[in-house]
Amino acid sequence: MSVESTVGQVTDPQSSDELRARGVASVLIPAEKIQSEIETMARELDAEYGEDVPLLVGVLTGAVSFMADLMKAMTIPLIVDFMAISSYGASTKSSGVVRILKDLNEEIAGRRIIVVEDIVDSGLTLQYLIDVLQRRSPKDIRVVALLKKEKADAAEVQVDRIGFHIPDEFVVGYGLDYAGRYRNLPYVAVLDPCVYQAAE
Ligand code: IMP
Ligand code: MG
């Protein structure tokens, strides 16, 4: 077997992308647009923190892709930690019930915190998280979110930097899931409603 045909079988981008994307209605934000926005954010954060060694707090599991790319794009010294908070389960609507599933390993008193969040929808998760972190007396907290849904009834919550404002639709990909799936898509996509209508 030639090298060429082996490579073709293993990494055919067309077919592997189609497999990962099954159930996707349309691509909302292509991978290149995400990466270029993250570059811009990283430059801003580099300039803002300089010598201060910020602690990036990623909100599991949705923020993994964003966190990985943002921290790699930043060039200043930084520390990374993660927190897990209960989310929607297998539904597409926020329950408003939030609890900590995994807490930070790091102490945050007196430190500069950057919360790295995938998406702000109702804002309830972030509101709760900021409240929990504030009680631990950090020096300051900045919130960066890759996505924010345009939603009239969203909670008033601190978000300092938003990558993309998106319509109030259920999206998947780039860390975001539906029932645990689609996180591995390199882009943000609108889920075909038949995927979750079938489950409701
Ligand atoms: P919120 O509390 O309603 O602002 O949203 C909490 C969490 O729900 C977010 O951090 C996401 O992990 C998840 N979430 C919100 N909207 C979506 C979506 O459209 N697709 C996938 N996950 C979402
Ligand atoms: Mg999240």
Side-chain angles (χ1 to χ4, degrees):
M1 194 185 284
S2 74
V3 171
E4 252 174 15
S5 65
T6 315
V7 170
Q9 277 174 358
V10 179
T11 61
D12 178 357
Q14 199 69 41
S15 61
S16 61
D17 206 41
E18 274 167 21
L19 277 176
R20 288 188 296 183
R22 205 172 285 166
V24 158
S26 63
V27 175
L28 193 64
I29 313 170
E32 311 78 60
K33 264 187 98 173
I34 298 174
Q35 296 307 324
S36 105
E37 183 60 26
I38 289 176
E39 265 310 313
T40 309
M41 285 182 170
R43 295 292 73 75
E44 292 168 9
L45 293 170
D46 278 353
E48 175 71 27
Y49 289 85
E51 303 291 295
D52 279 345
V53 191
L55 171 63
L56 272 61
V57 173
V59 187
L60 292 172
T61 305
V64 281
S65 298
F66 183 31
M67 174 67 113
D69 288 340
L70 182 66
M71 71 179 191
K72 284 184 286 181
M74 289 175 71
T75 59
I76 59 169
L78 55 82
I79 294 169
V80 171
D81 202 350
F82 288 95
M83 230 169 145
I85 287 180
S86 65
S87 191
Y88 295 177
S91 168
T92 59
K93 292 202 179 64
S94 190
S95 62
V97 179
V98 186
R99 74 199 157 94
I100 297 176
L101 303 176
K102 182 222 170 282
D103 208 334
L104 296 172
N105 299 327
E106 299 284 332
E107 295 292 330
I108 69 167
R111 293 169 84 170
R112 303 195 71 187
I113 309 302
I114 304 174
V115 174
V116 179
E117 176 63 302
D118 51 359
I119 185 167
V120 184
D121 183 8
S122 70
L124 293 172
T125 307
L126 203 50
Q127 216 174 37
Y128 172 82
L129 182 68
I130 292 169
D131 189 52
V132 166
L133 297 178
Q134 284 291 10
R135 286 166 201 269
R136 300 178 187 177
S137 309
K139 184 170 178 195
D140 57 24
I141 299 179
R142 172 175 298 250
V143 179
V144 299
L146 183 70
L147 308 170
K148 183 165 191 318
K149 286 190 193 173
E150 300 289 4
K151 215 169 192 163
D153 58 353
E156 276 288 325
V157 67
Q158 175 196 350
V159 190
D160 302 286
R161 181 67 162 84
I162 294 161
F164 302 92
H165 292 267
I166 62 166
D168 187 12
E169 279 177 288
F170 195 78
V171 293
V172 293
Y174 199 72
L176 292 159
D177 75 309
Y178 170 69
R181 290 179 50 197
Y182 304 102
R183 294 194 199 275
N184 55 329
L185 297 175
Y187 47 79
V188 174
V190 177
L191 191 61
D192 190 331
C194 73
V195 173
Y196 51 84
Q197 275 160 10
E200 271 166 11

